[in-house]
Amino acid sequence: MRALSLALLATVAATPLASPLAAQSVDRDAVTRIIDEGTNQSEVMPIAQHLTDVIGPRLTNSPGMRQAEEWTQSKFREWGLKNVHKEGFEFGRGWWIVSSSVRMVTPRPIQLTAIPIAWTPGTNGTVTAPVIVAPMSKEADFARYRGQLAGKIVMVTQPDTGSEPDRPAFRRLSQQELADQDFFEAPVNDPDAADRRLKRLDFSLKLDAFLKSEGAVAMATMSSRDGMLLHGSGYLFGRDQTPATPGIEIAAEDYRRLARLARVGQAPTLEVTSNVRFDDSDVQAYNILADIPGTDPKAGYVMAGAHLDSWAAGDGASDNAAGSAVVMEAARILSQMGVRPKRTIRFALWNGEEQGLLGSLAYIEQHIATRAPAATGPTTGLARFYGWTSRWPITKKPGYDQLAAYFNLDNGSGKIRGIYAENNQAAVPIFREWFAPFQAMGAGTVAMRRTSSTDHYFFQSIGLQGFQFIQDPLDYGSRIHHTNADTFDHMKGEDLRQASIIMASFLLNAANADKPLPKPPLPRQPKVTDPYAWPKAED
Amino acid sequence: MRALSLALLATVAATPLASPLAAQSVDRDAVTRIIDEGTNQSEVMPIAQHLTDVIGPRLTNSPGMRQAEEWTQSKFREWGLKNVHKEGFEFGRGWWIVSSSVRMVTPRPIQLTAIPIAWTPGTNGTVTAPVIVAPMSKEADFARYRGQLAGKIVMVTQPDTGSEPDRPAFRRLSQQELADQDFFEAPVNDPDAADRRLKRLDFSLKLDAFLKSEGAVAMATMSSRDGMLLHGSGYLFGRDQTPATPGIEIAAEDYRRLARLARVGQAPTLEVTSNVRFDDSDVQAYNILADIPGTDPKAGYVMAGAHLDSWAAGDGASDNAAGSAVVMEAARILSQMGVRPKRTIRFALWNGEEQGLLGSLAYIEQHIATRAPAATGPTTGLARFYGWTSRWPITKKPGYDQLAAYFNLDNGSGKIRGIYAENNQAAVPIFREWFAPFQAMGAGTVAMRRTSSTDHYFFQSIGLQGFQFIQDPLDYGSRIHHTNADTFDHMKGEDLRQASIIMASFLLNAANADKPLPKPPLPRQPKVTDPYAWPKAED
């Protein structure tokens, strides 16, 4: 009944038009100047190009990310931002690809499409070995292949039969699809989720130990996307976690062919060269911060954020040079306009997002609030992330009440179409007012639903006003997200200029509003009363 | 007026239901037996897998195609087909890829996604050189880059800004889309088309000569598809046409990045290894032919055909192991059933289709009809194809009147949804009858339109009964056609079994029909009376 009544409330709250009276509360003169600066003088695409074409992939602690950490600070300083600095947190190893090649040499020559898996060791030259198809996703699978893996390239993913993508690769949200975002999802308490995830991470380590003990020469996984796209994502970045066995991800078409050939005849032989490098000179990763100082030191601050780090396969363009460039451009626009807001406006470029929102989590733990430490299990690497939201109590720091709003951008390079209200009913009418000037730019939906998976999440989890925008998907989900095709040319100038303008406007509104954005209730430990609502143990 | 009245006629003729009376003319007992053999005993997928996974790409005159020529004959013999043989025609050089690698080495290392262009020479080891963006599509462009190309990798394609694919990658035809195929297109007489195409081919040779004279080290083109897909198509396969300069096709995302980097800073340096092989031991390509003999030697023959050759980037699965496997499976089904048709049923696996329907053209010239030789210009390589349909007169050979029907399959691996009537009004009611048993399998549309681009085309062009089927597109057009993703796992067993059944049934109907399928009028040299209907000189 609770879910139903709140859902009805959400529907009522979602009428699409801001009232004429409410719209007056936005400084429309400032909006006009933001639009002028953000269109005619825009630098968002040159910024995005430098981050992608010139710097390239920005895997946390890789040379690309180190370069991006320095370059973004220099840009903030060049634009006159204050308090520009980096804040470190322990992360792990630097890693990057120098060159790589995977070829099938028997039964016939094919240059395969493949990529080294992040943070796996190289092959130390070229290794030539037969494959064995040995899908393993849990420890119980090891027994089946014990004694068969020595000297082999072990194909650990279960091959499938291919996808039949029935939606256009490139999409913009229709009015109906925007309206469909406006739903209330009852909170699900899943106290075992963290344990299950840790178990999966733990399995990666156990699989590597098994492969090592069996004498496998390399591990091969199958790309999760068809059409020769690659990802190369890997999570064993901790100082003591590096696998013993080189890992490569093979394009789905190529992987399936190897598996089929192994079934109908002699196992194919591959020639693998993975030439990668590690750098342990600094195990800290750094968030980048920059301020436009507020005029009222007691009024606190508002913040925009996007993660600057990326995966290694493409150039981290839609994920998330796009969001980083928008945050930077919003800073440039507001700084160039010489705004003197009541509250400080802070710009954050997070690090380690792809490995578990680690940069924004570090910021929160340093400045805003801590939660009880994990009762058991590892606390380094990806494990830091798991379970953080289900540990109690939450202990506020003095900075807790200073944050008046946080806006995140990390849903690709599509333009802003609206914002997720994250179940924060009181924020809905305010966002409606702030969007009123941007109806003609296609933005205005205020959708009730909660979202996760990016850097506003931990802010939300401690009762702060963390939000992220609804963006047009473009080809992000279909073929760009984490792939080798995530390059500059899948970003759209018109879209990123629009997003920069709206981001700047929201920040200025939030910084000058009479009151901070309303806070949701401080989360308390949930009481689970509906056993049937629990998720299955195996998910 | 002529176009209009014929269009109306087409609409009337296209009512979707076969009359109950007409449906009686199909031997439904035979259909039931074909369905049993083609489902429960089907071998179409093992055949398709052997052609793709095991043999792999079948570029005309490459080792893969030589292997396929032998293997398909052995299968036909194994199934008891008669008169199994190959027929040669002069083609050109064999060529294949042993290994290849294209890396950006400055300003930062990236393993690029790239492929050698068919029939271009290798690099003889590894070459390292800077790129230059020099888009050239006509001779007049040469002047702009003269003196700048020495020692460079020349990027000859004009970079663009990327695609926004707004249709699903994987599609089946709706009833509306099927109905939309049923249109009459007025014939367009374009006497200059052949000259324009020859000019483009000629330009490839001139570009190569220019690159050689300027001292370029390699030529790079941009993939025509986004999303890291590659094709590697090239047309200079003639014995005396091999370019002097190695050619590579680079994935669109990678190519555009190179072009952008060259614009904003120092031109990137690439390290290119193209390890390819030529084979001139036999310049003939071979069509494969096999018969189920007819009982009436005077009744002529009916034929099914598909091209066995492919491009080199993928495994030539949807294009056209699919069609070849269907033709072979239809042969197996009918042979296994022990049919004794009135007319001979011939099965043809064409060669050199990808370079201009050269195999089916050779068959026609050898057995069916010739046309006047080209007045001017080259007559070897791809040039053989251009202009053939606009040369007069047509000179019939004795075999002309023996062909009672030709059915081609070459539109990917989707199931058969209908057939193109190619403006042959008299064939429409007959095809409706033949499709009557297959309504429940989703096939039945008889669409008036004419089509080209595959091996029924030259039969049509001399007034013979050459047809091809309408097939569900699946992901053929979006990402498979001629790409490195054209592998076995994009073929669908249910679809190919259905197509094999319908192909077998159509052949049996055509072989046993009282009369041959009606011939269209013998084409005569068109009189062009509408000057405004002429195509532009520059297309």
Side-chain angles (χ1 to χ4, degrees), chain B residues 110-307:
Chain B
I110 317 176
Q111 195 74 43
L112 301 180
T113 298
I115 191 171
I117 294 171
W119 289 293
T120 67
T123 50
N124 196 14
T126 298
V127 296
T128 304
V131 301
I132 179 170
V133 183
M136 292 179 274
S137 59
K138 53 188 186 303
E139 275 186 83
D141 298 330
F142 294 167
R144 193 167 163 197
Y145 301 108
R146 191 161 279 131
Q148 299 175 49
L149 309 183
K152 304 277 177 64
I153 294 164
V154 185
M155 297 169 61
V156 300
T157 310
Q158 174 72 46
D160 61 13
T161 52
S163 69
E164 301 182 2
D166 59 358
R167 301 181 78 180
F170 187 97
R171 295 188 309 120
R172 293 188 181 277
L173 295 171
S174 66
Q175 288 304 322
Q176 185 56 54
E177 287 171 314
L178 284 165
D180 289 348
Q181 295 292 312
D182 186 31
F183 62 86
F184 173 80
E185 200 169 12
V188 174
N189 182 36
D190 184 359
D192 302 325
D195 281 352
R196 287 199 306 279
R197 287 177 189 144
L198 275 172
K199 230 168 152 178
R200 280 203 287 269
L201 182 64
D202 200 38
F203 176 73
S204 300
L205 291 164
K206 286 182 173 153
L207 175 59
D208 180 64
F210 177 63
L211 293 176
K212 183 186 177 189
S213 71
E214 293 287 311
V217 301
M219 176 186 80
T221 62
M222 181 175 85
S223 171
S224 57
R225 277 189 176 85
D226 279 6
M228 309 307 277
L229 293 170
L230 294 171
H231 311 76
S233 315
Y235 294 89
L236 297 177
F237 54 86
R239 267 188 296 182
D240 307 321
Q241 290 182 319
T242 303
T245 309
I248 48 168
E249 178 187 314
I250 300 179
E253 283 81 358
D254 283 345
Y255 186 98
R256 293 187 200 110
R257 185 206 287 114
L258 292 170
R260 288 190 305 264
L261 282 172
R263 176 180 279 183
V264 299
Q266 196 124 37
T269 304
L270 304 190
E271 187 187 87
V272 178
T273 311
S274 171
N275 181 9
V276 301
R277 296 281 184 281
F278 287 92
D279 177 7
D280 297 324
S281 63
D282 186 356
V283 294
Q284 298 238 61
Y286 297 91
N287 296 323
I288 307 304
L289 299 160
D291 290 352
I292 293 177
T295 53
D296 179 353
K298 291 182 185 164
Y301 67 100
V302 300
M303 183 159 58
H307 69 90

Side-chain angles (χ1 to χ4, degrees), chain A residues 52-202:
Chain A
T52 53
D53 283 345
V54 178
I55 292 179
R58 301 171 306 285
L59 191 70
T60 302
N61 284 10
S62 70
M65 188 57 190
R66 297 302 187 201
Q67 212 182 319
E69 290 163 4
E70 295 310 310
W71 183 79
T72 52
Q73 289 181 79
S74 74
K75 292 307 280 187
F76 280 132
R77 289 196 186 97
E78 176 189 325
W79 297 327
L81 279 281
K82 305 299 178 197
N83 190 26
V84 177
H85 69 287
K86 60 182 184 181
E87 286 186 359
F89 62 94
E90 179 165 332
F91 176 79
R93 313 189 72 180
W95 181 92
W96 69 99
I97 302 168
V98 177
S99 64
S100 68
S101 169
V102 179
R103 287 180 66 222
M104 185 167 89
V105 287
T106 69
R108 58 186 173 94
I110 318 176
Q111 195 74 44
L112 302 180
T113 299
I115 191 171
I117 294 171
W119 288 293
T120 67
T123 49
N124 195 16
T126 298
V127 296
T128 304
V131 301
I132 178 170
V133 182
M136 292 180 272
S137 59
K138 51 188 188 304
E139 276 186 82
D141 297 329
F142 294 167
R144 192 166 165 199
Y145 301 108
R146 191 160 278 130
Q148 299 175 51
L149 309 184
K152 303 278 175 65
I153 295 165
V154 185
M155 297 170 62
V156 300
T157 311
Q158 174 72 44
D160 62 12
T161 52
S163 69
E164 301 182 3
D166 59 359
R167 303 181 76 179
F170 188 97
R171 295 188 309 121
R172 293 189 181 276
L173 295 171
S174 67
Q175 289 303 322
Q176 186 55 53
E177 287 171 315
L178 284 164
D180 289 348
Q181 295 293 311
D182 187 31
F183 61 86
F184 173 81
E185 200 170 12
V188 174
N189 181 38
D190 184 359
D192 302 325
D195 280 353
R196 287 198 307 278
R197 287 176 188 143
L198 274 172
K199 229 167 153 179
R200 280 203 286 268
L201 182 64
D202 199 39

